[in-house]
Amino acid sequence: QVHIVESGGGLVQPGGSLRLSCVVSGSINSIYVMGWYRQVPGNPRELVTTITSSGVTRYGDSVKGRFTISRDNANNTVFLQMNSLKPEDTALYYCNTILEATGTNVAVGYWGQGTQVTVSS
């Protein structure tokens, strides 16, 4: 079984910063990709950023230059540093991981429950 715990969301003023964390635990052979997506009610879930086990990153256009993803492979943790936050960054942020669970030979995607980020004055 795989468990995903996100933390770090909250209310912040425009121009401020937040740092999200996501810890993946359970019966895991390998974690290939970790990342963050976000969703506003009524809209589809969109890519924020991802990072592979070798450190290759990918960012959505709206967050390039403001958000930074990092990863602690030893502790199966991914971080999202969000700077220069804007009201349009307000969303529910979901941690996503693609991993191979123990006893399988298949890479499967898993989602966290989400953590709310609200940018407002």
Side-chain angles (χ1 to χ4, degrees):
Q1 195 168 1
V2 175
H3 302 278
I4 299 177
V5 178
E6 301 137 322
S7 61
L11 173 65
V12 63
Q13 292 188 341
S17 298
L18 278 177
R19 179 177 166 93
L20 305 184
S21 300
C22 170
V23 180
V24 180
S25 62
S27 301
I28 300 167
N29 279 347
S30 299
I31 297 179
Y32 300 113
V33 182
M34 303 181 81
W36 296 90
Y37 291 73
R38 66 186 184 187
Q39 189 170 24
V40 175
N43 288 358
R45 196 168 295 187
E46 66 171 357
L47 168 72
V48 178
T49 179
T50 60
I51 185 168
T52 68
S53 57
S54 58
V56 176
T57 59
R58 177 186 173 201
Y59 290 91
D61 288 341
S62 62
V63 305
K64 286 179 181 177
R66 299 187 298 122
F67 290 11
T68 303
I69 191 170
S70 59
R71 178 171 170 169
D72 178 354
N73 289 331
N75 293 297
N76 294 342
T77 302
V78 64
F79 304 97
L80 178 62
Q81 179 65 44
M82 304 185 293
N83 298 329
S84 302
L85 282 161
K86 305 175 182 179
E88 51 264 42
D89 294 317
T90 296
L92 191 60
Y93 283 69
Y94 293 93
C95 181
N96 172 265
T97 181
I98 299 174
L99 59 81
E100 181 181 300
T102 302
T104 75
N105 291 310
V106 181
V108 178
Y110 294 85
W111 293 95
Q113 294 298 307
T115 183
Q116 179 67 38
V117 172
T118 302
V119 184
S120 175
S121 56

